[in-house]
Amino acid sequence: MILELGVFLLSVTAFPGQGTATAGVYCFSDPGGPVVYFSTATDSKMNPAVSNDGYPAGREFYSYLKARYGFITNSNYPVTCTFAASTAVSEANRGVMEGNMRQQQKQVVEADWTYQPDPAAATASFNRSGDPRDRPPPPGPAEHGYCVAGQFTGPQYLSEPFSPPQPANISQWGQAWLRFLGGKYAYKGTIDCSNATEDGARRILKAWGDGARGAGRTVVQTGWKYDAAATTVAAAPVDADPEPARPAAGGSAASSDARAMALKESPATLKYCQADKLLSVVFDCLRVQQAVMAYRMEHPGSSLEPPVAVLFTGDKLDCSHCLDNTTQKAWARREALAQHMKPAVANCVSREFVVRLKAKPYPNRIQEHYDAAVKTCKGQG
């Protein structure tokens, strides 16, 4: 149910005067999952004396997580954003929460996402009474729409925010968006469309774009807007999730089955990676988990075949999105130095190893690539 924008510009407005106490905020993903993502703690510019609504920030954070990490969950509360009396208190609260998650053997990921204060919401919060029972006013009408490509891998396609006829018919938006992507980009994956306020749509689109760029993906600003005059012939069912309902999985029945399958398998994948001494050191197991999810989404309509262990054999799992170069380069250099190679040779091995891994990014080839890199670099030494 999220969307994002890439390079859309957000308006800049004055915040409450300097010296005014303002609330801190941070967000985290569903603590029931095996991996819990945390945003940074930051100054929200909101009035700390009133109750503030974390739902708009949550939609942005959830969008970022989906684009950056391929985050999926069946939870009714995929993310939570919580306010405190100050940024310092928010930072302390976040530290306690992270500690609790680690004690529960959860993998904690500090996502590179920070809530960007909303000037209109900040100003409105200071125009309310200081009574904590004074609930936030309802948001403006969610009469704008947006659509994104829902795949974690490949380019991130983004629409423009658009103003569709009311009442909203998100299913029609999705059908038109899917036809557009298929016709112009030959895209055949899942999509997300939803509604929001105009500014909310822009902020959510930006979060999608930021997340995709953080994952090293290309962001494509398609310029597309829903055209009510366009034909609405039947297309694959899409993610129709009007506000304020929670984000829901979408796509065809087959892709929905694949998504459910990937979610079910996710903890086992993470456990498998963490238990493999070579795999867990060379790759970030979180990225490996997402690569397996992507594989399942790209091969819908089957049971858990091949089993997760088999995916790591025979060039089955393309792990190109598992690479960050730094981790792989450092590992190869450590291995070479441990084998008493000269620093210059070790540096060569690390570079050569990354080149080979990029060319054939399959986990089953880690040792093969390393051995070939050693042979090449010793021959040059």
Side-chain angles (χ1 to χ4, degrees), residues 4 30 102 117 153:
E4 64 171 310
D30 171 27
R102 290 190 174 97
T153 56

Side-chain angles (χ1 to χ4, degrees), residues 151-154 258 291-301 318 321:
Q151 298 285 89
F152 167 63
T153 56
V292 173
M293 288 183 181
Y295 178 92
R296 297 304 189 195
M297 293 297 294
E298 292 165 4
H299 299 80
D318 182 339
H321 287 278

